[in-house]
Amino acid sequence: MSRRVHRHIPLRKRQYSSQQLDRSYAPSDAYGLYNKRATERDHDFIEDCYESMDSLLVFAGLFSAVTAGLVVKSYKDLREEPQSRTEQLLEYIISKDSTPLAGGIPARVPFKPSAQAIAANALFFLSLTVSLIAALGAILVKQWTRRVYVGLNAITSSRRRARAHYLRMQGIRDWKLPEIIAMVPMLLHVSLFLFLAGLVVWLCTVHTFIFILILSTAALSLAIYLIAAMIPSFWPDAPFNWPVSASFEALCNVFNDRHLKYRRDSLPLYDKPKRHTNEKILVTHLAQHSSLHHENQDGVGFDGLDLKILFELSTHTESPTQMDAIIDQFRCGMTHESRKGRTSEALDDKTVTTIIHKAAESALSCRVNQNGLFDIRPGIFLERATMTMQFFEVALQILEFDSKARRVSLMVVSDVANLMMERAMFVGSVDEIALSASVVARAQTKLDKWSHLDRADKVLAALRDLGPRPRNLEYKAEEDLEWTQERVEQYQRSISAYILSLTHLAIHFYARSLTSGGKLTEETSMHALASEIAATLRAGCFPDEMGRSGANYLSLKSALSALWFNLQGCSPQVTRWMEEVMPSVGWIPRQAADGTHTLEGSKV
């Protein structure tokens, strides 16, 4: 890591647009979007199911009538008719020249149906039975699908309705209802081929030419049927897909090693993040773009069901505004869970990478090139980009990025945040600078990169000059507002998240340097950076006339104290860093000889 001194650029020399963040911006309700999409999808599903089942019932009725008519004719071959005995006697009388009774009446020959008659009637009856079962299945499917959606429209809360809908859809998937619906028409396929087989067997003793004609037609139909079923196994874009083709495809995969490259080890939907239980997340203070009023209405916190709903919605949307709603709900849910003190559930790799990449695409869609510089489009694009940065800031504190796929997505986050930070530095927005810089620092901490440490003094200088006590009045904004108590509190909350993330990055840098066996040649520069952090914190304290000297940086004070106790037995370099920074928020860290950490209060 190389250190260099950055010349501070006066905020008056802006090269970017001067649009400001609209704190009243609120994206759409993600659950409302899910319900809207679910309504359209359910309507299509029900309409398709009803139309297919109605057509199946009509065909099953006609086919059963045809089969029953043929059965009435063929079943007679299975039993002896009464007139058969009379015909037998007449034949005997005619064949005798003498008196018929001279030789006695011929004994009754036991009736035995032919093998062809038995086979033909078995096939006919089986075909009729299967077709009636198919008709019953069609009726049951219509009843089941109707019952699935009963009562959903009566739920007024969008979140409750989304959760209820997802649970019912999960039940449909778990109990394989789509597969059952697809198998009902297959019963008619089976019934039809059984009927054709019985017809061929029955005709073999009736008429040779007709037998050959029907046999050829049935064989050709079966060959076309099987070929159409196998085509999708070799040409996936072919439209000939039904359960039989899926079975052929699965059978081909057994003998084809190429399918191995598409296999993935099954991953749990959630894994527990490796975070200390007493370490709370700290986010940059910005207007909350959406509130968690759903919990107040439903009495249920953000949980895995919400994650499944939002992920399913994200995989089927390409609209940036809809993606904003999903990202915002993810952020609010993760923040809420941490503030409730619950053990947060991390998403699996597929979910994390999908959401992060879509969020990055949403942020990048807000940019525009002006005079060769990255800027934000006019309108609500600044609010959208800021909301995405807030999502990244929370996700980096909640989730683990230990897999290769997650680290690749993290590099995308770092690049997007760097672009946002450059723009915020020139515009001179405390909230935007602190937010984007916090994301960069946390991303680089997880990526084992330290380039942000070279630029941290520039960021801190900009934050300080935008605070209550700038280093030089020349750098103050032209339209400077009065520093009220509320404004100072907002400033402290805005920079607190960045100071904490920068501290994490510095500690991680120390740990990696010591682990690799290298020498800390940058100790002087790191000490200077800690001093710059302390100076920035002191410059952002409440003025004495406000009488709130003990209420400075309350959230940062709590976070740094938890971090200090989690660093039991840390290196001397980390101890010196914390001893430099923590007095600025009212703590004096102490480390005993046995490595135990304690804290003493100090006056800021």
Side-chain angles (χ1 to χ4, degrees):
M1 183 191 72
S2 62
R3 300 281 295 164
R4 57 185 182 274
V5 179
H6 296 274
R7 182 177 62 86
H8 182 70
I9 299 177
L11 298 177
R12 292 181 181 179
K13 299 181 180 179
R14 294 177 179 172
Q15 304 179 42
Y16 293 83
S17 59
S18 58
Q19 57 177 316
Q20 299 297 320
L21 181 66
D22 181 10
R23 297 176 183 274
S24 62
Y25 169 73
S28 303
D29 179 18
Y31 297 105
L33 295 175
Y34 174 87
N35 292 330
K36 181 179 178 180
R37 177 182 171 276
T39 300
E40 297 173 355
R41 183 183 58 186
D42 296 343
H43 179 268
D44 295 339
F45 173 75
I46 293 175
E47 185 177 3
D48 180 69
C49 178
Y50 277 24
E51 288 181 358
S52 61
M53 292 301 107
D54 289 341
S55 301
L56 187 147
L57 285 172
V58 173
F59 181 81
L62 295 175
F63 181 73
S64 298
V66 172
T67 306
L70 191 58
V71 166
V72 171
K73 179 67 177 176
S74 65
Y75 90 99
K76 296 178 182 179
D77 298 337
L78 298 177
R79 65 179 183 177
E80 182 181 12
E81 295 293 336
Q83 61 269 25
S84 298
R85 179 61 177 171
T86 303
E87 293 175 356
Q88 182 182 6
L89 291 175
L90 290 175
E91 290 177 356
Y92 176 77
I93 293 174
I94 294 173
S95 63
K96 297 295 183 179
D97 296 332
S98 59
T99 304
L101 297 178
I105 300 176
R108 177 184 294 272
V109 178
F111 176 78
K112 184 178 181 181
S114 64
Q116 291 85 352
I118 296 175
N121 280 273
L123 292 172
F124 286 150
F125 278 103
L126 187 58
S127 174
L128 179 61
T129 302
V130 173
S131 65
L132 293 177
I133 293 175
L136 175 62
I139 296 174
L140 291 176
V141 164
K142 294 185 68 174
Q143 292 178 338
W144 292 338
T145 53
R146 186 184 298 112
R147 292 292 299 174
V148 166
Y149 300 99
V150 170
L152 282 178
N153 293 331
I155 302 177
T156 56
S157 170
S158 61
R159 182 170 181 250
R160 287 184 58 194
R161 180 176 176 181
R163 292 169 65 88
H165 180 274
Y166 188 89
L167 287 175
R168 296 187 187 189
M169 293 302 102
Q170 187 65 42
I172 287 177
R173 290 188 289 266
D174 291 344
W175 289 96
K176 310 297 182 182
L177 182 57
E179 287 78 2
I180 294 175
I181 294 175
M183 290 302 299
V184 172
M186 293 301 302
L187 293 176
L188 278 182
H189 296 190
V190 173
S191 177
L192 177 60
F193 283 111
L194 288 173
F195 176 80
L196 291 176
L199 187 61
V200 169
V201 174
W202 187 56
L203 289 173
C204 70
T205 58
V206 176
H207 195 280
T208 303
F209 175 75
I210 297 178
F211 161 72
I212 295 175
L213 179 64
I214 299 301
L215 176 61
S216 302
T217 304
L220 180 61
S221 301
L222 180 60
I224 294 175
Y225 183 89
L226 295 177
I227 291 173
M230 290 187 290
I231 286 177
S233 300
F234 304 97
W235 292 277
D237 57 340
F240 315 120
N241 283 285
W242 73 95
V244 175
S245 59
S247 300
F248 273 110
E249 186 175 359
L251 184 62
C252 291
N253 285 338
V254 174
F255 301 99
N256 189 353
D257 293 334
R258 289 180 300 175
H259 79 290
L260 294 176
K261 65 180 179 181
Y262 299 110
R263 285 184 179 175
R264 293 182 179 178
D265 295 331
S266 60
L267 297 173
L269 186 60
Y270 309 111
D271 54 7
K272 294 184 178 180
K274 302 173 184 178
R275 296 178 61 244
H276 297 288
T277 57
N278 61 337
E279 183 180 351
K280 299 181 180 179
I281 67 170
L282 194 61
V283 297
T284 306
H285 173 72
L286 285 172
Q288 298 298 317
H289 292 124
S290 67
S291 59
L292 289 173
H293 60 277
H294 300 291
E295 184 189 20
N296 297 331
Q297 295 178 356
D298 308 336
V300 179
F302 191 88
D303 55 17
L305 180 57
D306 295 278
L307 298 177
K308 295 177 183 179
I309 293 173
L310 295 176
F311 175 69
E312 180 176 332
L313 182 60
S314 68
T315 56
H316 295 88
T317 182
E318 297 296 335
S319 170
T321 55
Q322 293 184 5
M323 197 63 211
D324 290 343
I326 299 170
I327 293 170
D328 185 56
Q329 195 60 52
F330 260 112
R331 175 186 62 84
C332 289
M334 290 188 294
T335 305
H336 178 266
E337 286 298 286
S338 179
R339 289 177 178 172
K340 293 281 287 186
R342 300 171 181 169
T343 302
S344 301
E345 295 176 323
L347 306 172
D348 63 12
D349 284 352
K350 180 180 179 181
T351 307
V352 169
T353 54
T354 300
I355 295 296
I356 286 182
H357 280 289
K358 285 184 173 289
E361 292 174 1
S362 177
L364 292 176
S365 67
C366 302
R367 65 179 178 173
V368 65
N369 192 312
Q370 291 187 357
N371 301 324
L373 297 173
F374 168 76
D375 200 1
I376 300 296
R377 295 178 181 178
I380 64 171
F381 292 96
L382 177 59
E383 288 71 31
R384 289 178 49 200
T386 302
M387 185 181 60
T388 303
M389 289 297 104
Q390 287 185 291
F391 164 73
F392 289 152
E393 185 180 34
V394 175
L396 287 168
Q397 298 180 70
I398 295 293
L399 307 178
E400 289 295 317
F401 291 83
D402 47 3
S403 67
K404 181 178 179 181
R406 297 193 185 193
R407 291 177 68 86
V408 171
S409 65
L410 197 56
M411 295 174 66
V412 177
V413 172
S414 180
D415 293 340
V416 174
N418 267 308
L419 290 174
M420 291 294 296
M421 185 179 68
E422 288 294 338
R423 185 226 176 238
M425 291 285 289
F426 281 98
V427 171
S429 171
V430 173
D431 288 337
E432 294 179 58
I433 294 173
L435 174 60
S436 54
S438 175
V439 173
V440 172
R442 290 192 178 277
Q444 291 196 359
T445 300
K446 295 182 179 294
L447 289 171
D448 296 334
K449 295 184 177 181
W450 331 110
S451 60
H452 184 70
L453 293 176
D454 291 335
R455 309 179 62 190
D457 55 350
K458 180 181 177 181
V459 177
L460 292 170
L463 292 174
R464 183 175 178 182
D465 290 336
L466 293 166
R469 301 181 182 87
R471 299 178 301 169
N472 192 322
L473 293 178
E474 177 186 355
Y475 296 146
K476 292 191 67 175
E478 296 177 358
E479 299 178 359
D480 193 14
L481 301 176
E482 180 183 358
W483 281 95
T484 61
Q485 177 176 314
E486 180 181 357
R487 191 180 174 200
V488 175
E489 289 178 351
Q490 177 182 330
Y491 174 83
Q492 291 183 359
R493 286 195 295 267
S494 294
I495 71 171
S496 292
Y498 174 59
I499 298 300
L500 181 62
S501 61
L502 187 57
T503 301
H504 276 285
L505 180 59
I507 294 173
H508 196 67
F509 167 71
Y510 282 128
R512 288 296 184 184
S513 299
L514 292 174
T515 303
S516 60
K519 296 182 180 180
L520 293 176
T521 59
E522 304 292 335
E523 180 64 25
T524 303
S525 299
M526 294 297 291
H527 178 73
L529 181 58
S531 300
E532 184 68 25
I533 292 176
T536 303
L537 291 173
R538 288 193 295 268
C541 292
F542 289 106
D544 295 337
E545 58 269 19
M546 291 185 181
R548 299 199 61 188
S549 59
N552 288 298
Y553 303 104
L554 295 180
S555 58
L556 180 60
K557 183 177 181 178
S558 175
L560 287 177
S561 63
L563 177 61
W564 175 245
F565 286 117
N566 288 330
L567 292 173
Q568 301 282 349
C570 61
S571 65
Q573 292 82 2
V574 173
T575 301
R576 284 194 291 271
W577 174 280
M578 300 298 285
E579 288 175 348
E580 185 74 32
V581 174
M582 294 189 70
S584 303
V585 296
W587 288 125
I588 299 179
R590 302 295 187 191
Q591 185 176 25
D594 59 354
T596 304
H597 288 185
T598 58
L599 286 173
E600 297 179 4
S602 67
K603 182 178 180 180
V604 181

